[in-house]
């Protein structure tokens, strides 16, 4: 397929230029290639390892959730130089999609994680400007069961899970999911205000655990990496279905 | 002892009004009491649990690293109300000391952690405005040995440890410590520029692991809570030595 | 009545969370109590005197126009400590309502002052974001008569009145009211542009008198305190009517 | 004298370009004239009345404390147009000096007011960036006596005086003066921290009275206009002494 | 005609208070006069030369595109003093209209320049907040022909023309005009994104030429002064047609 | 020579990390190469043309005055992609030096231009934070002679010259130089205040010509490109002298 066609299709499907995001995200095509896409690699992070593995795999389009420009306008020197040298040397384009992928109603990290955990979303969660980054829904089952499924999921992606409080014999009646760095003073407040009793996130700083404890509120920290592996995979499959180009997932866990 | 005397001594020793800090820290006496100090409780966080346990322990001065005002000017309602009701009901004063405690040359979290790990600091690390929050120094031993001591320390405080890369047969020649949320793009850059090969922190977000991996750089994440338990304890002992007032450490781990 | 019910009714009636305000206002419940409301005290300022008198009066809900947090996140030490100690000691909740009370169409300071002066408002005045803080209307009577009524009103509340220019034989054809610190370059400009000839305010700095003089424009300074006494009293009566809880007005003039 | 010489002498004496100030002050020559100074008028405010009286008096240099540009870049229309038309029509230059005049050690509003009240300053007060706007000093006499002198002074300039608390049988041991709009949360805090018991100011908003009351602290409000009449008069005399040009004071009280 | 009537008509026609602009523009009446308009002078810049020539011409209203207050609140000294002295001495009012004149659909600089070049606009160009400052349209003729007409126009106003690239045998299919300082990174990007091949501007800094070169994109720099001469002339004629007051154009080219 | 050595030498000589600059300048090594420097190309702008010619010339280090990152963190797509593809394809490193090159006392654009014009600098000019970007000095010769030399210089680099006023029979007694976009309200004011009568710059917007005219002040606009050609050439020669690596100047005039 032509790079132009794939990029245009992704921009449309993900509403790349309509979804708000942080400045460093630079959503959309971040680096071009010579114009055709023969194979797609998808990864959570545009790290040196991901770029190297993409080159080895023969891919010439790398789709990532965390792109190359979070550090702003940086010189291409050191590790940064090596990454771009590999990209240009192997003619690999990079397409990055941060919040547009988190919030996509079918391919998104949050919707897909809910599905993987057997939870059915009924509303958005984690307001950011004009969008809901995450999802929420109702349930009625022991929180220990939910936790067991989260643990099985995290294990599958090489991660581990901790909770803000022992789940004991609690029941999950309303849950919310916000993948990645999803625990913050704001998401905890929103969760409490909207009657959520179980909040599943990737990670969050120490003070979010303290705040959760104070309110006797259950946060399940399932790992930043693990919770964001599903969106890019869904996107890989979507590209193959649409353009007949094969894809591969580069599994590069970080322990975080 | 009189509250006034204890507060004055702490302000002087910790240079409370000279050390820069974030707005929400509000270092120094955060809540007064009726004027005397009979017993001191120290804790990492001014959480509801810490306040409740301080009341049960009969303390009427609570010294903490993370105080009551990080959320700005908040109404005293809900959990916040309950915390202040307990403080006023049990006549407990609260003294908070954030960066002044991190960077203190004898009682500080960073110096004390180095000491607990058998490391001898020779310089400051982690520049913040006019101060160095952390410490660094030279060594010459297998990183695996350093890691083993960090793991033993963390276990003692109910925490666990992970690293950005397998330590394998590496040697630690230059280390740095920055307790609490000490891993960031900035501390990683400073560490690399100053020749550090082993950086010991409390916690840090996912992207710090990715950045460390890219530079094949070893970060040891030892837990936010665990790495900040030593400073307040040192302060408790310092108050007892100076004013003859007994003290107790409220151990309230969060898993983070 | 339960505190929760009273607070909810006030929030709804005053549109507490819809009306814009300055950051330090912190409208709504500022300090909780143990949960019931037996007696209400109302006052213009949440001063130490007001809190002490509220405690003496046996009230356990204090409703004020100027709340406790204008200084931002402040340590509870000194006078600030004493105020909160009294609140917690006497189990007094504090409800604060600044612009929501100024602009309320029936209970508001501005509407009530117009009524007390025999003036009938026909429009809003003193635009602030999405609301009009004050009121304005038409009349046709000697300004000296209006002034006499303002003076009688101010005297009743222990205040005094001055004007930017001698009123002489002027006629008031269009008036505006903005209670409290209502005189500013902006309100004077708005008044002139909308054809107002008589502006009644609480207070305003020196330069507003100079500006009024320059435009030969009549500002009646009736006292910050006096002009803001009516709203909280209206609110006290409203609570009693609705919840059957007795109320009292704490009259604490400041001379300003 | 030549305008250039007078302006240069004033700039040097008042350190016009070294003293920090608010943006709207625009200290120094604000409007030029045809180049000579035959007569000087001085006034507190560059109001229309002051400009008209300056023209009537035959002055062609008007020296003021509050200049023409507090409103920023404004069109010369309406009253503003009339003021400039008079200035150009009568060939009157305007020299404005705000904080440089407040803080001048011999000609300043604050030093001169202390002198007029029989008080001897020993230090600066009311820090603003690199300068002290006001003055302070020690005394030992009934506050009622100080107040009586302030009242006599204010009466001489057509003003009136109020205090934050009844002075009763208090003794003034340490006083501070900050003319004009000198009462603020900041000056009150500085006064308390430095052991001042009697603060003499021009004016200040309602909340400063509440704050003073809370701390049982005596603020004497002596009128914005009255407290700032001395500096410009001192400057008039200084110009005459130096350049032999006659001067006149335009007394235009505002009641504030 | 009365100044009030002329100003009101201009404000309405130009939508002076609805069109957004930069702070220094201060659109509308900038300086009043004694109240009547007998003759109008129009000029691009409110320079000393324009004011002097307006006075010599007997005009008492000067209409300009670049007004007197771009430098903010400035003292009326030096050249600035001389300009105002001339204005007041000759009783000349100044009306300034910056973006409202650029974007006016009939009298505007951009529409008029298109017309003078034989181009028919079909849409707006150069988005600024809620308005389009410039215009664009379709054509089909050798760019060399367009350039020849621009050169003839510029020569008529004493200016010269340069292009970012040699126009060679290019064809202009879609053009855009943005008079004055119309070349910027933003207008060049907008032009490329909207399929424009020929962008006609007044001036722009060096880097705009580099950017144009890189994209093989044709910018015609026709001179800031020359491209903004038409709007004020159209306005002069409009005033005469409406109020029967004669007008004159003050041609004061700058070479830029 | 090794890239590391050349970069280190340039950083030291130019004080790359001590000289302040605008954010987009990103001074120093902007793109690395495989590690050796065999040939150096120097150019004013890191444009596509410069990169292409550098590749053709066989250079593998390109030294420029205006680097690649003025637009911030941009995707490498379109022309931007092509530029980087050429750089990586031809293994060309890019070193950029903006203000450090303008202000260098021997190799700098300003010093070198003075020298080329037969002028001897005696002081710095055009203050920017802690540095003087330009130079100034005294002379005593007809301005027409100075202008003639500027015109000869500009012609040599394919540019043209204009002046703010006809130079007539003026004499240049004090001159200043600020290359590139050196004419601004600030540099004109600084020039007048310091007694400069002839200011030589690259370019500046229309309003600088108007301001110069008003003050009857002579600005010579010599072309942004032409005035910044000397620094990079001096740097090329400096590298050859120091490292024995040949260099070439890529002359790519823009007409601006």
């Amino acid at each position: 397929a032509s790079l132009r066609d794939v990029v245009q299709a992704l921009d449309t499907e993900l509403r790349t230029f309509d979804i708000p995001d942080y400045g460093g995200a630079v959503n959309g095509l971040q680096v071009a290639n010579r114009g055709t896409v023969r194979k797609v690699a998808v990864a959570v992070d545009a790290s040196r390892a991901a770029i190297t593995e993409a080159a080895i795999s023969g891919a010439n389009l790398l789709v990532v959730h965390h792109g190359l420009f979070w550090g702003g306008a940086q010189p291409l020197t050191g590790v940064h130089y090596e990454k771009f040298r590999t990209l240009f040397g192997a003619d690999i384009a990079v397409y990055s999609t941060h919040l547009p992928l988190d919030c996509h109603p079918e391919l998104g990290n949050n919707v897909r994680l809910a599905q993987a955990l057997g939870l059915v979303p009924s509303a958005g969660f984690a307001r950011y400007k004009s969008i809901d980054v995450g999802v929420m829904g109702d349930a009625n089952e022991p929180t220990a069961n939910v936790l067991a499924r989260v643990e099985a999921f995290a294990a599958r992606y090489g991660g581990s899970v901790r909770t803000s409080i022992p789940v004991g014999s609690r029941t999950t009646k309303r849950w919310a999911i916000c993948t990645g760095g999803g625990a913050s003073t704001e998401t905890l407040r929103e969760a409490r205000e909207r009657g959520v009793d179980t909040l599943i996130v990737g990670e969050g700083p120490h003070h979010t655990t303290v705040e959760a404890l104070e309110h006797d509120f259950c946060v399940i920290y399932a790992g930043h990496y693990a919770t964001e592996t599903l969106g890019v995979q869904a996107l890989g499959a979507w590209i193959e279905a649409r353009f007949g180009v094969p894809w591969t997932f580069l599994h590069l866990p970080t322990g975080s």
Side-chain angles (χ1 to χ4, degrees), chain A residues 7 13 22 29 42 47-48 53-54 77 86 101 111-112 117 121 154 187 191 236-237:
Chain A
V7 165
E13 179 65 30
Y22 301 92
L29 186 65
V42 306
S47 61
R48 185 169 57 164
E53 294 219 4
T77 59
T86 305
L101 185 57
V111 156
R112 290 274 165 152
L117 297 175
T187 53

Side-chain angles (χ1 to χ4, degrees), chain A residues 143-175:
Chain A
T143 305
N145 293 8
V146 176
L147 177 58
R149 293 202 300 276
V150 174
E151 282 169 340
F153 174 82
R156 212 174 313 140
Y157 284 99
S160 60
V161 175
R162 70 180 175 79
T163 60
S164 60
I165 48 169
V167 301
S169 59
R170 285 162 184 270
T171 300
T172 293
K173 298 225 161 140
R174 183 165 289 171
W175 55 269

Side-chain angles (χ1 to χ4, degrees), chain A residues 6 21 61 63 73 90 93 101 104 122 124 136 150 157-158 168-169 182 191 217 248:
Chain A
V6 175
D21 210 325
L61 171 61
V63 176
L101 185 57
H104 191 280
S122 57
M136 60 182 282
V150 174
Y157 284 99
S169 59
F217 180 81
T248 184

Side-chain angles (χ1 to χ4, degrees), chain A residues 7 10 12 27 29 39 64 77 111 121 124 156 162-163 171 178 197-198 203 215 225-226 230 236 242 244 248-249:
Chain A
V7 165
L10 287 170
T12 303
N27 291 315
L29 186 65
K39 185 173 175 188
V64 293
T77 59
V111 156
R156 212 174 313 140
R162 70 180 175 79
T163 60
T171 300
C178 189
D197 51 57
T198 308
E203 66 175 351
H215 292 90
Y225 177 78
L230 301 180
R242 187 126 168 184
T248 184
F249 172 52

Side-chain angles (χ1 to χ4, degrees), chain A residues 6-241:
Chain A
V6 175
V7 165
Q8 217 155 53
L10 287 170
D11 286 349
T12 303
E13 179 65 30
L14 294 164
R15 301 176 52 218
T16 296
F17 302 110
D18 294 340
I19 303 292
D21 210 325
Y22 301 92
V26 189
N27 291 315
L29 186 65
Q30 291 199 333
V31 182
N33 68 5
R34 284 168 190 269
T36 46
V37 176
R38 286 181 320 271
K39 185 173 175 188
V40 175
V42 306
V44 174
D45 304 292
S47 61
R48 185 169 57 164
I51 289 169
T52 306
E53 294 219 4
I56 290 168
S57 78
N60 64 347
L61 171 61
L62 173 62
V63 176
V64 293
H65 184 51
H66 301 129
L68 292 154
F69 297 116
W70 288 98
Q74 278 185 289
L76 305 195
T77 59
V79 170
H80 211 49
Y81 165 69
E82 285 165 32
K83 288 161 73 170
F84 280 88
R85 189 172 75 175
T86 305
L87 290 173
F88 280 94
D91 191 34
I92 302 173
V94 176
Y95 189 95
S96 180
T97 178
H98 184 238
L99 294 190
L101 185 57
D102 278 328
C103 73
H104 191 280
E106 279 162 44
L107 308 169
N109 282 318
N110 287 277
V111 156
R112 290 274 165 152
L113 181 57
Q115 197 176 315
L117 297 175
L119 299 168
V120 182
S122 57
F125 177 77
R127 198 72 191 168
Y128 174 76
K129 296 185 182 172
S130 59
I131 61 162
D132 285 316
V133 174
V135 291
M136 60 182 282
D138 294 322
N140 193 0
E141 62 172 321
T143 305
N145 293 8
V146 176
L147 177 58
R149 293 202 300 276
V150 174
E151 282 169 340
F153 174 82
R156 212 174 313 140
Y157 284 99
S160 60
V161 175
R162 70 180 175 79
T163 60
S164 60
I165 48 169
V167 301
S169 59
R170 285 162 184 270
T171 300
T172 293
K173 298 225 161 140
R174 183 165 289 171
W175 55 269
I177 289 178
C178 189
T179 60
S184 67
T185 297
E186 287 70 34
T187 53
L188 264 73
R189 185 185 301 127
E190 182 182 342
R192 290 198 315 272
E193 286 174 5
R194 298 177 70 183
V196 169
D197 51 57
T198 308
L199 173 61
I200 303 165
V201 301
E203 66 175 351
H206 168 71
H207 70 81
T208 62
T209 309
V210 177
E211 288 167 31
L213 264 168
E214 293 216 322
H215 292 90
D216 193 30
F217 180 81
C218 180
V219 180
I220 302 179
Y221 298 87
H224 193 128
Y225 177 78
T227 59
E228 300 201 319
T229 48
L230 301 180
V232 289
Q233 293 184 70
L235 219 44
W238 184 89
I239 295 172
E240 179 163 27

